[in-house]
Amino acid sequence: MSSLNITPLSSALGAQISGVDISQPLTLEHRDAIEQALLKYQVLFFRNQPIEPSQQARFAAYFGDLHIHPIYPNVPEQPEVLILDTAVTDVRDNAIWHTDVTFLPTPAMGAVLSAKLLPEFGGDTLWASGIAAYEVLSAPLKGLLEGLTATHDFTRSFPLERYGNTPEALAQWEEARRKNPPLSHPVIRTHPVSGRRSLFVNEGFTSKINELSETESEAILKFLFAHATRPEFTIRWRWQQDDIAFWDNRVTQHYAVDDYRPARRVMQRATVLGDVPFFR
């Protein structure tokens, strides 16, 4: 039996984990127990886990290959770990419900976020379960959505007017745009491990439902964005120094509350690549 202590935090998603030191290499037992907890609870929280970027990347790499973000700055000696520092980068697009990097053909399986510098108050993060949101939909609406695909566009959260204001930034943005053209994913996604179904559209990157008219797409997406983030499908985490969150990006959205300005907030994230979304 695993020595991990797992405390569920809500009926929709979320659990707090203790009994493991993430700064150290994981045993196979702990690695498997964390993966099973992630499948069940969708987002996991670990208190009091001071880690270096190399340790964070090592922990994340137990669960898959790591992504290097095309826009956000990263730790120079550990480029798989990006830096979300409000004193350096405009991170207002984290204050919108989004699923990370769904503009990729293989969006993130998950992400490991570490709290490095926190404001005196504010700066919580919320997560929402796409599984919980999907399961309460009516059968007729499920039937409609299960046959649809949606376009995900990098520029919705990284618009040129905010990320191309210097020659260097413009060159970086143009390269990222070239490598990440708009692409399509199913509106309802089947989890590749658990087999559970989840909503897979998000306000941060989803621009339209492909099979519908513009008016129909706008109406359906407006409903789905609001429905997916109803309070009963969410959990809110109040960060403490050196907390770590690890979430299943395949079936969740999150929102970093921007309520602490002008205080500074610094987080570091390692992103684990996933697979091509599918529905069955």
Side-chain angles (χ1 to χ4, degrees):
M1 293 292 291
S2 169
S3 60
L4 294 183
N5 298 310
I6 303 175
T7 304
L9 300 176
S10 80
S11 59
L13 78 170
Q16 185 171 335
I17 307 292
S18 61
V20 62
D21 182 353
I22 289 177
S23 71
Q24 300 302 310
L26 292 182
T27 64
L28 180 60
E29 179 187 33
H30 276 165
R31 186 264 177 216
D32 291 346
I34 290 170
E35 182 177 53
Q36 290 304 308
L38 185 70
L39 291 173
K40 183 174 182 179
Y41 297 108
Q42 303 169 57
V43 56
L44 307 177
F45 302 102
F46 305 79
R47 293 284 196 196
N48 191 28
Q49 296 280 345
I51 55 172
E52 297 298 321
S54 61
Q55 297 166 331
Q56 184 174 359
R58 180 182 61 201
F59 173 80
Y62 281 110
F63 304 94
D65 295 332
L66 303 188
H67 176 245
I68 297 177
H69 200 277
I71 295 294
Y72 286 133
N74 52 35
V75 176
E77 65 274 17
Q78 197 71 56
E80 303 90 348
V81 177
L82 66 83
I83 303 168
L84 299 169
D85 183 346
T86 57
V88 176
T89 306
D90 182 351
V91 296
R92 78 181 77 167
D93 292 299
N94 285 281
I96 186 175
W97 282 104
H98 65 284
T99 301
D100 286 334
V101 297
T102 61
F103 56 81
L104 295 177
T106 55
M109 163 269 178
V112 178
L113 187 65
S114 176
K116 296 301 183 184
L117 180 66
L118 297 171
E120 183 180 356
F121 54 83
D124 297 353
T125 303
L126 294 90
W127 280 264
S129 169
I131 293 174
Y134 167 79
E135 289 180 345
V136 302
L137 293 174
S138 67
L141 187 51
K142 286 179 181 177
L144 169 66
L145 298 176
E146 288 166 3
L148 301 178
T149 62
T151 295
H152 294 245
D153 191 340
F154 160 83
T155 64
R156 280 179 65 87
S157 282
F158 298 98
L160 175 61
E161 60 267 23
R162 285 182 28 229
Y163 289 92
N165 293 325
T166 67
E168 295 80 8
L170 177 60
Q172 182 184 28
W173 184 91
E174 288 178 337
E175 178 69 2
R177 184 72 175 90
R178 183 185 66 80
K179 290 182 176 179
N180 298 283
L183 50 69
S184 296
H185 295 307
V187 170
I188 304 299
R189 177 178 186 171
T190 302
H191 195 290
V193 182
S194 71
R196 300 181 75 182
R197 294 174 176 178
S198 169
L199 288 180
F200 196 64
V201 294
N202 70 94
E203 193 172 357
F205 294 112
T206 307
S207 60
K208 64 179 180 178
I209 297 177
N210 300 318
E211 295 79 9
L212 303 181
S213 70
E214 181 178 353
T215 302
E216 291 170 336
S217 171
E218 183 178 355
I220 293 294
L221 284 178
K222 182 178 180 180
F223 165 76
L224 292 177
F225 294 157
H227 171 77
T229 56
R230 282 165 49 183
E232 56 266 39
F233 306 145
T234 70
I235 188 167
R236 182 170 184 145
W237 185 251
R238 179 166 294 177
W239 294 97
Q240 295 178 11
Q241 186 69 35
D242 295 320
D243 280 358
I244 286 177
F246 179 24
W247 65 91
D248 191 332
N249 195 67
R250 297 165 291 196
V251 292
T252 63
Q253 301 183 51
H254 54 282
Y255 185 118
V257 184
D258 191 4
D259 61 351
Y260 50 87
R261 306 305 177 112
R264 186 181 179 193
R265 182 178 185 264
V266 181
M267 314 291 279
Q268 293 184 351
R269 190 182 87 201
T271 306
V272 185
L273 285 170
D275 50 11
V276 177
F278 64 90
F279 170 79
R280 67 164 180 254

